[in-house]
Amino acid sequence: MGTGRVEAFSDGVLAIAITLLVLDVKVPVAGPGRLAHALVHEWPTIGTYAVSFAIIGIIWVNHHALFDRIARVNRPILFLNLFLLMAVAFLPFPTALLAAYVDKGGPNSHAAAAVYAATMSVVGLSFLGFWLYLARTPAVRVASFTDDDARAALRRTVVGPVVYLSSVVVAFVSAPACLVMYAFVAVFFAMPGAGSATTPGEDPAPARR
Amino acid sequence: MGTGRVEAFSDGVLAIAITLLVLDVKVPVAGPGRLAHALVHEWPTIGTYAVSFAIIGIIWVNHHALFDRIARVNRPILFLNLFLLMAVAFLPFPTALLAAYVDKGGPNSHAAAAVYAATMSVVGLSFLGFWLYLARTPAVRVASFTDDDARAALRRTVVGPVVYLSSVVVAFVSAPACLVMYAFVAVFFAMPGAGSATTPGEDPAPARR
Amino acid sequence: MGTGRVEAFSDGVLAIAITLLVLDVKVPVAGPGRLAHALVHEWPTIGTYAVSFAIIGIIWVNHHALFDRIARVNRPILFLNLFLLMAVAFLPFPTALLAAYVDKGGPNSHAAAAVYAATMSVVGLSFLGFWLYLARTPAVRVASFTDDDARAALRRTVVGPVVYLSSVVVAFVSAPACLVMYAFVAVFFAMPGAGSATTPGEDPAPARR
Amino acid sequence: MGTGRVEAFSDGVLAIAITLLVLDVKVPVAGPGRLAHALVHEWPTIGTYAVSFAIIGIIWVNHHALFDRIARVNRPILFLNLFLLMAVAFLPFPTALLAAYVDKGGPNSHAAAAVYAATMSVVGLSFLGFWLYLARTPAVRVASFTDDDARAALRRTVVGPVVYLSSVVVAFVSAPACLVMYAFVAVFFAMPGAGSATTPGEDPAPARR
């Protein structure tokens, strides 16, 4: 089985998950002349929308970079991919949860941020598992992706889970800090030259030398 | 008509159905400090999300394997496929129903599980009908898919409806047992070497010899 | 501009509209032991889901048959298509409306059925407009689709709007009758040999002679 | 990286956003014989649905015209595109907001229209940023798209943000006027010969000479 249909299906799931995020931005019920005020109080919803949109966008970019290294799809890849998609397609829930509780403070905001951070950790670990499988299974890789490339990719991919798992700790300190942290991660990935094997860019050399 | 566009449309419907599942995971309304507790009580929602996601994922895999055997699409195939998609696209409803009632016990939990099991039975019978049609209509099959292959595929596909119809009985005993049963089916299909003509894998030999 | 991307976008919209229908099947709130009863009372929701799913499925089939006759896409075709998609993507609303009121009887059920019938009329008239444009604009057609074919297609396509506009009248007599009428239309189109230029099938001869 | 997958992902997001609009058309709860009346009072919902559908449709057309000029996708294009999609995928929210408040009058209707206009301004500015990047980065353009074409495209694209930013002002005068203004923009773009480099049509000459 080639990678085409798995990629098309994954693209579909990611495109839908990223577009469903807006459904959690609810129209506020406001008394006469109070709508502008009510909309300003919706900042957590807008903020979490933007951050989650950026994060799923980056996941999509990374997913492509991953499948660019895969030559043929077998059963383990199919189910690793379904597991990864299950975590990503779940993101609209922690996004809505964080939007509802991030500005409430106290243990509720920490719990909401922790669920978000835990979901992102699962996403990060899924990617790590994928690259680990590729490193150990040369038969499924494209020829240009060598053992050295695979080890380098693995080292760089470890950054994701480390950041996301440590954000679980941040969640218990401050939920808004957690959101800001993710916004920084998104901006970092959007900048040219971000050091990840899993991001495409002007210089594919590191991963394809 | 080639199979390309039917497969693309079906992939779209399956990708959307699998991603819509998260919309039934609702943000709980919790008093101060009670969110963690409320989230733990959401286990049925998380559990049914994971099981239904895995099941639609497997349906997607099986749907591909099915269309790999089809060389040209005619009207009966078009409408068999629409009927199958109608059942699969309906799954978010029984999923939400089971999530709402699985931990309530009594006749309500049985009714919810029975609706889930009935929907899965329709899915299983649709696949069976598809393979039956292929077995009887060599003209629509790819050349490498022989009469013997078709009979073998049919024998293996019978397992699905048998499992799903028997889960209707399990539903009336215990709704959580029903959910656990589906989780096992999902794990079983994810393991290498699962004996189904409709799953792709390392050894396509049995179905393509 | 080739037809590929317009068809892919249209397929996406149709796949999403058909899959969103399930969101209007709501989980009933039922007292202990009352869920089975409550589910039986949901028959209008299940019935309208099945009918609308079948109708959008048939629209998808007809949309393909239409674009099979188009060689190149220009601005009028682009906007005719957007108008058609606007009507089809709207169908989840009249479906939910009909589901909510079909069994209530009286003027409310008639109004709901009339909205459904009016939406279907717009869909039918859009298709008619499309075929009319093709009949008058040979430059956009594939070579094998002659003037005679175009006139024949037009004559057969007229059936749709006639049926749908007359269902507006039926709506004011009985809403359930309207639903049954659409179910019959769906079954009619699913049968082999249904006399429409816009349905693919075993004998493309009439439209392609 | 070629443009194919970015376009397919963008098409997916646009197709989903345009189809989700219907979810904001809610079934009214009406007393006996009052449904027709209640539906007439839903005109803002129907009106905003039609306008937003047309606007996203036109964005889709413009997005294609844009990517027809792009030969290869690099990181800045990837993130410019994600930013543009973030704004477009957000449109169902201002649409629902405007539908809820357009006929209420007073500051609330102005605030709702201003949010809609602001979102459209971001969309317009994203397109402008895109064409600006193309004008300054010949390396990513298709060969037939010259410096002169790029400057011409840029001049014509400026119209969008100017219209949308001025609609923010209109929003504070009259929300319905804002909606009517967008309807005119949609009709204007649908007419043949509309003077924009970003719309496909019978004469691609201006942009491709």
mmCIF file of all heavy atoms in Angstrom, chain B residues 5 9 13 16-17 20 75-76 78-79 82 85-86 89-90 93 96-97 101 108 115, chain C residues 7 11 16 22 25 27-28 30-31 33-35 49 53 60 64 189 191-192 199-200 202:
data_model
loop_
_atom_site.group_PDB
_atom_site.id
_atom_site.type_symbol
_atom_site.label_atom_id
_atom_site.label_comp_id
_atom_site.label_asym_id
_atom_site.label_seq_id
_atom_site.Cartn_x
_atom_site.Cartn_y
_atom_site.Cartn_z
ATOM 1 N N ARG B 5 -13.173 8.212 -7.562
ATOM 2 C CA ARG B 5 -14.005 9.241 -6.947
ATOM 3 C C ARG B 5 -14.896 8.673 -5.859
ATOM 4 O O ARG B 5 -15.203 9.355 -4.891
ATOM 5 C CB ARG B 5 -14.864 9.911 -8.022
ATOM 6 C CG ARG B 5 -13.998 10.363 -9.206
ATOM 7 C CD ARG B 5 -14.589 11.493 -9.934
ATOM 8 N NE ARG B 5 -14.829 12.604 -9.051
ATOM 9 C CZ ARG B 5 -15.348 13.749 -9.431
ATOM 10 N NH1 ARG B 5 -15.672 13.905 -10.690
ATOM 11 N NH2 ARG B 5 -15.541 14.723 -8.581
ATOM 12 N N PHE B 9 -14.801 10.123 -2.109
ATOM 13 C CA PHE B 9 -16.004 10.568 -1.394
ATOM 14 C C PHE B 9 -16.173 9.778 -0.099
ATOM 15 O O PHE B 9 -16.459 10.350 0.957
ATOM 16 C CB PHE B 9 -17.228 10.387 -2.305
ATOM 17 C CG PHE B 9 -18.514 10.865 -1.700
ATOM 18 C CD1 PHE B 9 -18.780 12.216 -1.604
ATOM 19 C CD2 PHE B 9 -19.457 9.968 -1.224
ATOM 20 C CE1 PHE B 9 -19.980 12.669 -1.051
ATOM 21 C CE2 PHE B 9 -20.645 10.405 -0.665
ATOM 22 C CZ PHE B 9 -20.910 11.764 -0.584
ATOM 23 N N VAL B 13 -16.322 11.071 3.828
ATOM 24 C CA VAL B 13 -17.378 10.794 4.807
ATOM 25 C C VAL B 13 -16.798 10.134 6.059
ATOM 26 O O VAL B 13 -17.120 10.511 7.195
ATOM 27 C CB VAL B 13 -18.481 9.911 4.181
ATOM 28 C CG1 VAL B 13 -19.458 9.413 5.239
ATOM 29 C CG2 VAL B 13 -19.229 10.689 3.102
ATOM 30 N N ILE B 16 -14.775 12.607 8.153
ATOM 31 C CA ILE B 16 -15.637 13.551 8.863
ATOM 32 C C ILE B 16 -16.323 12.859 10.042
ATOM 33 O O ILE B 16 -16.342 13.372 11.153
ATOM 34 C CB ILE B 16 -16.687 14.163 7.907
ATOM 35 C CG1 ILE B 16 -15.971 14.922 6.794
ATOM 36 C CG2 ILE B 16 -17.622 15.095 8.657
ATOM 37 C CD1 ILE B 16 -16.773 15.058 5.524
ATOM 38 N N ALA B 17 -16.877 11.656 9.795
ATOM 39 C CA ALA B 17 -17.573 10.937 10.866
ATOM 40 C C ALA B 17 -16.631 10.687 12.049
ATOM 41 O O ALA B 17 -17.005 10.870 13.213
ATOM 42 C CB ALA B 17 -18.139 9.613 10.344
ATOM 43 N N LEU B 20 -15.997 14.041 13.851
ATOM 44 C CA LEU B 20 -17.170 14.605 14.538
ATOM 45 C C LEU B 20 -17.380 13.989 15.914
ATOM 46 O O LEU B 20 -18.069 14.568 16.761
ATOM 47 C CB LEU B 20 -18.443 14.388 13.710
ATOM 48 C CG LEU B 20 -18.636 15.228 12.454
ATOM 49 C CD1 LEU B 20 -19.989 14.937 11.836
ATOM 50 C CD2 LEU B 20 -18.511 16.716 12.761
ATOM 51 N N ARG B 75 -23.938 0.916 -10.805
ATOM 52 C CA ARG B 75 -24.990 1.452 -9.941
ATOM 53 C C ARG B 75 -25.187 0.647 -8.648
ATOM 54 O O ARG B 75 -25.253 1.244 -7.566
ATOM 55 C CB ARG B 75 -26.307 1.513 -10.725
ATOM 56 C CG ARG B 75 -27.422 2.240 -10.006
ATOM 57 C CD ARG B 75 -28.726 2.064 -10.745
ATOM 58 N NE ARG B 75 -28.759 2.828 -11.955
ATOM 59 C CZ ARG B 75 -29.371 4.015 -12.062
ATOM 60 N NH1 ARG B 75 -29.964 4.544 -11.015
ATOM 61 N NH2 ARG B 75 -29.381 4.651 -13.200
ATOM 62 N N PRO B 76 -25.270 -0.709 -8.697
ATOM 63 C CA PRO B 76 -25.434 -1.425 -7.423
ATOM 64 C C PRO B 76 -24.300 -1.129 -6.433
ATOM 65 O O PRO B 76 -24.549 -0.982 -5.235
ATOM 66 C CB PRO B 76 -25.429 -2.899 -7.843
ATOM 67 C CG PRO B 76 -25.850 -2.897 -9.266
ATOM 68 C CD PRO B 76 -25.339 -1.623 -9.860
ATOM 69 N N LEU B 78 -22.496 1.577 -6.270
ATOM 70 C CA LEU B 78 -22.700 2.952 -5.822
ATOM 71 C C LEU B 78 -23.700 3.007 -4.668
ATOM 72 O O LEU B 78 -23.486 3.694 -3.663
ATOM 73 C CB LEU B 78 -23.238 3.763 -7.008
ATOM 74 C CG LEU B 78 -22.726 5.161 -7.280
ATOM 75 C CD1 LEU B 78 -21.234 5.265 -7.140
ATOM 76 C CD2 LEU B 78 -23.126 5.580 -8.699
ATOM 77 N N PHE B 79 -24.783 2.257 -4.781
ATOM 78 C CA PHE B 79 -25.823 2.342 -3.760
ATOM 79 C C PHE B 79 -25.539 1.430 -2.569
ATOM 80 O O PHE B 79 -25.887 1.783 -1.439
ATOM 81 C CB PHE B 79 -27.208 2.131 -4.381
ATOM 82 C CG PHE B 79 -27.622 3.348 -5.171
ATOM 83 C CD1 PHE B 79 -27.424 3.433 -6.538
ATOM 84 C CD2 PHE B 79 -28.135 4.459 -4.502
ATOM 85 C CE1 PHE B 79 -27.761 4.587 -7.246
ATOM 86 C CE2 PHE B 79 -28.470 5.610 -5.206
ATOM 87 C CZ PHE B 79 -28.277 5.671 -6.577
ATOM 88 N N LEU B 82 -23.348 3.758 -0.644
ATOM 89 C CA LEU B 82 -24.103 4.805 0.056
ATOM 90 C C LEU B 82 -24.783 4.238 1.300
ATOM 91 O O LEU B 82 -24.826 4.877 2.349
ATOM 92 C CB LEU B 82 -25.150 5.439 -0.868
ATOM 93 C CG LEU B 82 -24.671 6.578 -1.754
ATOM 94 C CD1 LEU B 82 -25.818 7.101 -2.606
ATOM 95 C CD2 LEU B 82 -24.063 7.718 -0.948
ATOM 96 N N LEU B 85 -22.130 3.758 3.953
ATOM 97 C CA LEU B 85 -21.737 5.059 4.512
ATOM 98 C C LEU B 85 -22.826 5.625 5.422
ATOM 99 O O LEU B 85 -22.540 6.267 6.436
ATOM 100 C CB LEU B 85 -21.433 6.060 3.394
ATOM 101 C CG LEU B 85 -20.193 5.783 2.536
ATOM 102 C CD1 LEU B 85 -20.036 6.868 1.488
ATOM 103 C CD2 LEU B 85 -18.935 5.687 3.387
ATOM 104 N N MET B 86 -24.092 5.380 5.050
ATOM 105 C CA MET B 86 -25.194 5.877 5.879
ATOM 106 C C MET B 86 -25.116 5.280 7.282
ATOM 107 O O MET B 86 -25.323 5.984 8.278
ATOM 108 C CB MET B 86 -26.541 5.507 5.237
ATOM 109 C CG MET B 86 -27.712 6.278 5.810
ATOM 110 S SD MET B 86 -29.322 5.659 5.254
ATOM 111 C CE MET B 86 -29.346 6.191 3.543
ATOM 112 N N ALA B 89 -21.796 6.760 9.005
ATOM 113 C CA ALA B 89 -21.948 8.188 9.339
ATOM 114 C C ALA B 89 -22.948 8.385 10.464
ATOM 115 O O ALA B 89 -23.001 9.445 11.078
ATOM 116 C CB ALA B 89 -22.381 8.977 8.101
ATOM 117 N N PHE B 90 -23.741 7.342 10.745
ATOM 118 C CA PHE B 90 -24.721 7.404 11.834
ATOM 119 C C PHE B 90 -24.061 7.124 13.193
ATOM 120 O O PHE B 90 -24.592 7.485 14.235
ATOM 121 C CB PHE B 90 -25.839 6.393 11.560
ATOM 122 C CG PHE B 90 -27.033 6.522 12.459
ATOM 123 C CD1 PHE B 90 -27.848 7.641 12.388
ATOM 124 C CD2 PHE B 90 -27.360 5.524 13.367
ATOM 125 C CE1 PHE B 90 -28.962 7.771 13.213
ATOM 126 C CE2 PHE B 90 -28.466 5.636 14.193
ATOM 127 C CZ PHE B 90 -29.271 6.765 14.124
ATOM 128 N N PHE B 93 -24.110 9.101 16.590
ATOM 129 C CA PHE B 93 -25.300 9.103 17.442
ATOM 130 C C PHE B 93 -25.272 7.964 18.464
ATOM 131 O O PHE B 93 -25.338 8.224 19.675
ATOM 132 C CB PHE B 93 -26.587 9.077 16.619
ATOM 133 C CG PHE B 93 -27.811 8.848 17.451
ATOM 134 C CD1 PHE B 93 -28.220 9.794 18.374
ATOM 135 C CD2 PHE B 93 -28.535 7.666 17.344
ATOM 136 C CE1 PHE B 93 -29.340 9.575 19.177
ATOM 137 C CE2 PHE B 93 -29.645 7.438 18.144
ATOM 138 C CZ PHE B 93 -30.055 8.405 19.061
ATOM 139 N N ALA B 96 -22.780 8.739 21.165
ATOM 140 C CA ALA B 96 -23.222 9.718 22.161
ATOM 141 C C ALA B 96 -24.263 9.100 23.092
ATOM 142 O O ALA B 96 -24.278 9.361 24.304
ATOM 143 C CB ALA B 96 -23.802 10.944 21.455
ATOM 144 N N LEU B 97 -25.123 8.264 22.522
ATOM 145 C CA LEU B 97 -26.173 7.608 23.310
ATOM 146 C C LEU B 97 -25.553 6.677 24.349
ATOM 147 O O LEU B 97 -25.924 6.700 25.534
ATOM 148 C CB LEU B 97 -27.071 6.808 22.347
ATOM 149 C CG LEU B 97 -28.390 6.272 22.875
ATOM 150 C CD1 LEU B 97 -29.348 7.414 23.162
ATOM 151 C CD2 LEU B 97 -29.008 5.308 21.853
ATOM 152 N N TYR B 101 -25.531 6.870 28.621
ATOM 153 C CA TYR B 101 -26.285 5.918 29.441
ATOM 154 C C TYR B 101 -25.497 4.697 29.916
ATOM 155 O O TYR B 101 -26.004 3.928 30.727
ATOM 156 C CB TYR B 101 -27.543 5.457 28.677
ATOM 157 C CG TYR B 101 -28.592 6.536 28.551
ATOM 158 C CD1 TYR B 101 -28.751 7.265 27.388
ATOM 159 C CD2 TYR B 101 -29.428 6.836 29.639
ATOM 160 C CE1 TYR B 101 -29.713 8.269 27.289
ATOM 161 C CE2 TYR B 101 -30.389 7.835 29.544
ATOM 162 C CZ TYR B 101 -30.525 8.538 28.373
ATOM 163 O OH TYR B 101 -31.478 9.525 28.287
ATOM 164 N N ASN B 108 -32.155 1.377 30.558
ATOM 165 C CA ASN B 108 -31.695 2.465 29.693
ATOM 166 C C ASN B 108 -30.307 2.178 29.117
ATOM 167 O O ASN B 108 -30.063 2.404 27.933
ATOM 168 C CB ASN B 108 -31.674 3.794 30.460
ATOM 169 C CG ASN B 108 -33.047 4.433 30.555
ATOM 170 O OD1 ASN B 108 -34.030 3.817 30.132
ATOM 171 N ND2 ASN B 108 -33.115 5.634 31.089
ATOM 172 N N VAL B 115 -28.738 -0.133 20.644
ATOM 173 C CA VAL B 115 -28.745 0.722 19.457
ATOM 174 C C VAL B 115 -27.351 0.749 18.826
ATOM 175 O O VAL B 115 -27.199 0.663 17.602
ATOM 176 C CB VAL B 115 -29.205 2.161 19.821
ATOM 177 C CG1 VAL B 115 -28.969 3.114 18.660
ATOM 178 C CG2 VAL B 115 -30.677 2.165 20.207
ATOM 179 N N GLU C 7 -14.545 19.729 -8.862
ATOM 180 C CA GLU C 7 -15.181 18.481 -8.434
ATOM 181 C C GLU C 7 -14.712 18.065 -7.045
ATOM 182 O O GLU C 7 -15.516 17.630 -6.207
ATOM 183 C CB GLU C 7 -14.874 17.366 -9.433
ATOM 184 C CG GLU C 7 -15.632 17.524 -10.743
ATOM 185 C CD GLU C 7 -15.302 16.407 -11.705
ATOM 186 O OE1 GLU C 7 -14.197 16.447 -12.301
ATOM 187 O OE2 GLU C 7 -16.121 15.509 -11.878
ATOM 188 N N ASP C 11 -17.134 17.660 -3.996
ATOM 189 C CA ASP C 11 -17.182 16.388 -3.273
ATOM 190 C C ASP C 11 -16.998 16.614 -1.785
ATOM 191 O O ASP C 11 -17.677 15.985 -0.957
ATOM 192 C CB ASP C 11 -16.067 15.456 -3.771
ATOM 193 C CG ASP C 11 -16.458 14.732 -5.035
ATOM 194 O OD1 ASP C 11 -17.504 15.071 -5.614
ATOM 195 O OD2 ASP C 11 -15.721 13.832 -5.461
ATOM 196 N N ILE C 16 -19.309 16.519 3.511
ATOM 197 C CA ILE C 16 -19.494 17.127 4.829
ATOM 198 C C ILE C 16 -20.978 17.296 5.130
ATOM 199 O O ILE C 16 -21.453 16.944 6.207
ATOM 200 C CB ILE C 16 -18.761 18.480 4.914
ATOM 201 C CG1 ILE C 16 -17.272 18.265 4.696
ATOM 202 C CG2 ILE C 16 -18.998 19.149 6.260
ATOM 203 C CD1 ILE C 16 -16.542 19.484 4.174
ATOM 204 N N VAL C 22 -26.082 13.739 10.911
ATOM 205 C CA VAL C 22 -26.216 12.971 12.155
ATOM 206 C C VAL C 22 -26.215 13.885 13.384
ATOM 207 O O VAL C 22 -26.731 13.501 14.445
ATOM 208 C CB VAL C 22 -25.107 11.902 12.263
ATOM 209 C CG1 VAL C 22 -23.775 12.515 12.660
ATOM 210 C CG2 VAL C 22 -25.503 10.829 13.264
ATOM 211 N N VAL C 25 -29.458 14.292 15.118
ATOM 212 C CA VAL C 25 -30.056 13.186 15.866
ATOM 213 C C VAL C 25 -29.559 13.331 17.303
ATOM 214 O O VAL C 25 -28.413 13.020 17.620
ATOM 215 C CB VAL C 25 -29.639 11.819 15.274
ATOM 216 C CG1 VAL C 25 -30.387 10.701 15.985
ATOM 217 C CG2 VAL C 25 -29.914 11.776 13.774
ATOM 218 N N VAL C 27 -29.403 12.918 21.456
ATOM 219 C CA VAL C 27 -29.590 11.910 22.496
ATOM 220 C C VAL C 27 -30.768 12.342 23.359
ATOM 221 O O VAL C 27 -30.746 13.435 23.937
ATOM 222 C CB VAL C 27 -28.319 11.788 23.359
ATOM 223 C CG1 VAL C 27 -28.560 10.882 24.548
ATOM 224 C CG2 VAL C 27 -27.157 11.283 22.515
ATOM 225 N N PRO C 28 -31.821 11.512 23.455
ATOM 226 C CA PRO C 28 -32.975 11.905 24.274
ATOM 227 C C PRO C 28 -32.649 11.807 25.770
ATOM 228 O O PRO C 28 -31.866 10.964 26.194
ATOM 229 C CB PRO C 28 -34.058 10.899 23.884
ATOM 230 C CG PRO C 28 -33.347 9.729 23.307
ATOM 231 C CD PRO C 28 -32.019 10.213 22.792
ATOM 232 N N ALA C 30 -34.069 10.669 29.080
ATOM 233 C CA ALA C 30 -35.155 9.751 29.446
ATOM 234 C C ALA C 30 -35.056 9.361 30.902
ATOM 235 O O ALA C 30 -33.959 9.155 31.430
ATOM 236 C CB ALA C 30 -35.088 8.495 28.570
ATOM 237 N N GLY C 31 -36.195 9.276 31.562
ATOM 238 C CA GLY C 31 -36.242 8.791 32.937
ATOM 239 C C GLY C 31 -35.885 7.310 32.968
ATOM 240 O O GLY C 31 -35.831 6.653 31.922
ATOM 241 N N GLY C 33 -35.651 3.580 32.706
ATOM 242 C CA GLY C 33 -36.425 2.593 31.965
ATOM 243 C C GLY C 33 -37.232 3.153 30.808
ATOM 244 O O GLY C 33 -37.993 2.434 30.167
ATOM 245 N N ARG C 34 -37.066 4.453 30.509
ATOM 246 C CA ARG C 34 -37.895 5.076 29.482
ATOM 247 C C ARG C 34 -37.138 5.324 28.183
ATOM 248 O O ARG C 34 -37.689 5.924 27.254
ATOM 249 C CB ARG C 34 -38.445 6.432 29.983
ATOM 250 C CG ARG C 34 -39.293 6.348 31.236
ATOM 251 C CD ARG C 34 -40.575 5.597 31.026
ATOM 252 N NE ARG C 34 -41.473 6.258 30.083
ATOM 253 C CZ ARG C 34 -42.502 5.683 29.470
ATOM 254 N NH1 ARG C 34 -42.750 4.409 29.703
ATOM 255 N NH2 ARG C 34 -43.249 6.350 28.620
ATOM 256 N N LEU C 35 -35.843 4.928 28.104
ATOM 257 C CA LEU C 35 -35.044 5.279 26.927
ATOM 258 C C LEU C 35 -35.555 4.594 25.655
ATOM 259 O O LEU C 35 -35.663 5.223 24.599
ATOM 260 C CB LEU C 35 -33.562 4.943 27.156
ATOM 261 C CG LEU C 35 -32.634 5.334 26.012
ATOM 262 C CD1 LEU C 35 -32.721 6.821 25.691
ATOM 263 C CD2 LEU C 35 -31.194 4.953 26.314
ATOM 264 N N TYR C 49 -33.205 11.618 8.678
ATOM 265 C CA TYR C 49 -31.772 11.356 8.465
ATOM 266 C C TYR C 49 -31.595 10.455 7.249
ATOM 267 O O TYR C 49 -30.815 10.766 6.340
ATOM 268 C CB TYR C 49 -31.155 10.692 9.705
ATOM 269 C CG TYR C 49 -29.755 10.173 9.480
ATOM 270 C CD1 TYR C 49 -28.665 11.034 9.511
ATOM 271 C CD2 TYR C 49 -29.507 8.829 9.206
ATOM 272 C CE1 TYR C 49 -27.377 10.580 9.285
ATOM 273 C CE2 TYR C 49 -28.227 8.359 8.978
ATOM 274 C CZ TYR C 49 -27.161 9.229 9.024
ATOM 275 O OH TYR C 49 -25.898 8.780 8.779
ATOM 276 N N PHE C 53 -29.990 11.681 3.770
ATOM 277 C CA PHE C 53 -28.727 11.036 3.407
ATOM 278 C C PHE C 53 -28.833 10.468 1.986
ATOM 279 O O PHE C 53 -27.947 10.687 1.144
ATOM 280 C CB PHE C 53 -28.397 9.914 4.402
ATOM 281 C CG PHE C 53 -26.956 9.468 4.339
ATOM 282 C CD1 PHE C 53 -26.046 9.918 5.282
ATOM 283 C CD2 PHE C 53 -26.502 8.622 3.340
ATOM 284 C CE1 PHE C 53 -24.712 9.533 5.242
ATOM 285 C CE2 PHE C 53 -25.175 8.235 3.277
ATOM 286 C CZ PHE C 53 -24.274 8.688 4.230
ATOM 287 N N TRP C 60 -24.962 13.756 -5.177
ATOM 288 C CA TRP C 60 -23.537 13.549 -5.454
ATOM 289 C C TRP C 60 -23.364 12.760 -6.765
ATOM 290 O O TRP C 60 -22.539 13.112 -7.606
ATOM 291 C CB TRP C 60 -22.873 12.825 -4.272
ATOM 292 C CG TRP C 60 -21.474 12.396 -4.556
ATOM 293 C CD1 TRP C 60 -20.366 13.192 -4.631
ATOM 294 C CD2 TRP C 60 -21.013 11.073 -4.814
ATOM 295 N NE1 TRP C 60 -19.262 12.456 -4.918
ATOM 296 C CE2 TRP C 60 -19.618 11.148 -5.036
ATOM 297 C CE3 TRP C 60 -21.639 9.816 -4.885
ATOM 298 C CZ2 TRP C 60 -18.845 10.018 -5.325
ATOM 299 C CZ3 TRP C 60 -20.880 8.708 -5.164
ATOM 300 C CH2 TRP C 60 -19.497 8.807 -5.386
ATOM 301 N N HIS C 64 -21.688 14.271 -10.336
ATOM 302 C CA HIS C 64 -20.609 13.640 -11.103
ATOM 303 C C HIS C 64 -20.972 13.501 -12.564
ATOM 304 O O HIS C 64 -20.176 13.797 -13.453
ATOM 305 C CB HIS C 64 -20.311 12.245 -10.543
ATOM 306 C CG HIS C 64 -19.290 12.320 -9.515
ATOM 307 N ND1 HIS C 64 -18.017 11.871 -9.683
ATOM 308 C CD2 HIS C 64 -19.341 12.877 -8.298
ATOM 309 C CE1 HIS C 64 -17.332 12.122 -8.597
ATOM 310 N NE2 HIS C 64 -18.106 12.721 -7.730
ATOM 311 N N PHE C 189 -34.416 6.378 -7.751
ATOM 312 C CA PHE C 189 -33.123 6.695 -8.346
ATOM 313 C C PHE C 189 -32.105 5.582 -8.120
ATOM 314 O O PHE C 189 -31.150 5.440 -8.875
ATOM 315 C CB PHE C 189 -32.575 8.011 -7.776
ATOM 316 C CG PHE C 189 -33.060 9.217 -8.517
ATOM 317 C CD1 PHE C 189 -34.007 10.054 -7.974
ATOM 318 C CD2 PHE C 189 -32.549 9.506 -9.786
ATOM 319 C CE1 PHE C 189 -34.464 11.166 -8.657
ATOM 320 C CE2 PHE C 189 -32.994 10.616 -10.475
ATOM 321 C CZ PHE C 189 -33.953 11.450 -9.918
ATOM 322 N N MET C 191 -32.733 2.416 -8.198
ATOM 323 C CA MET C 191 -33.009 1.248 -9.024
ATOM 324 C C MET C 191 -32.312 1.350 -10.374
ATOM 325 O O MET C 191 -32.200 2.442 -10.932
ATOM 326 C CB MET C 191 -34.519 1.099 -9.227
ATOM 327 C CG MET C 191 -35.230 0.597 -7.982
ATOM 328 S SD MET C 191 -36.959 0.187 -8.311
ATOM 329 C CE MET C 191 -37.476 1.553 -9.332
ATOM 330 N N PRO C 192 -31.850 0.202 -10.899
ATOM 331 C CA PRO C 192 -31.195 0.250 -12.209
ATOM 332 C C PRO C 192 -32.160 0.724 -13.289
ATOM 333 O O PRO C 192 -33.361 0.454 -13.227
ATOM 334 C CB PRO C 192 -30.757 -1.196 -12.440
ATOM 335 C CG PRO C 192 -31.541 -2.012 -11.494
ATOM 336 C CD PRO C 192 -31.902 -1.138 -10.350
ATOM 337 N N THR C 199 -27.963 10.249 -14.075
ATOM 338 C CA THR C 199 -27.526 9.166 -13.209
ATOM 339 C C THR C 199 -26.617 8.228 -13.986
ATOM 340 O O THR C 199 -26.922 7.844 -15.116
ATOM 341 C CB THR C 199 -28.708 8.354 -12.672
ATOM 342 O OG1 THR C 199 -29.519 7.989 -13.788
ATOM 343 C CG2 THR C 199 -29.524 9.150 -11.694
ATOM 344 N N PRO C 200 -25.505 7.850 -13.379
ATOM 345 C CA PRO C 200 -24.627 6.915 -14.041
ATOM 346 C C PRO C 200 -25.258 5.536 -13.957
ATOM 347 O O PRO C 200 -26.190 5.319 -13.192
ATOM 348 C CB PRO C 200 -23.366 6.968 -13.194
ATOM 349 C CG PRO C 200 -23.861 7.286 -11.835
ATOM 350 C CD PRO C 200 -25.078 8.132 -12.023
ATOM 351 N N GLU C 202 -25.386 1.238 -15.824
ATOM 352 C CA GLU C 202 -24.849 0.254 -16.748
ATOM 353 C C GLU C 202 -24.914 0.747 -18.189
ATOM 354 O O GLU C 202 -24.107 0.379 -19.004
ATOM 355 C CB GLU C 202 -25.586 -1.073 -16.614
ATOM 356 C CG GLU C 202 -25.186 -1.878 -15.391
ATOM 357 C CD GLU C 202 -25.817 -1.357 -14.124
ATOM 358 O OE1 GLU C 202 -26.584 -0.361 -14.176
ATOM 359 O OE2 GLU C 202 -25.541 -1.910 -13.068
#
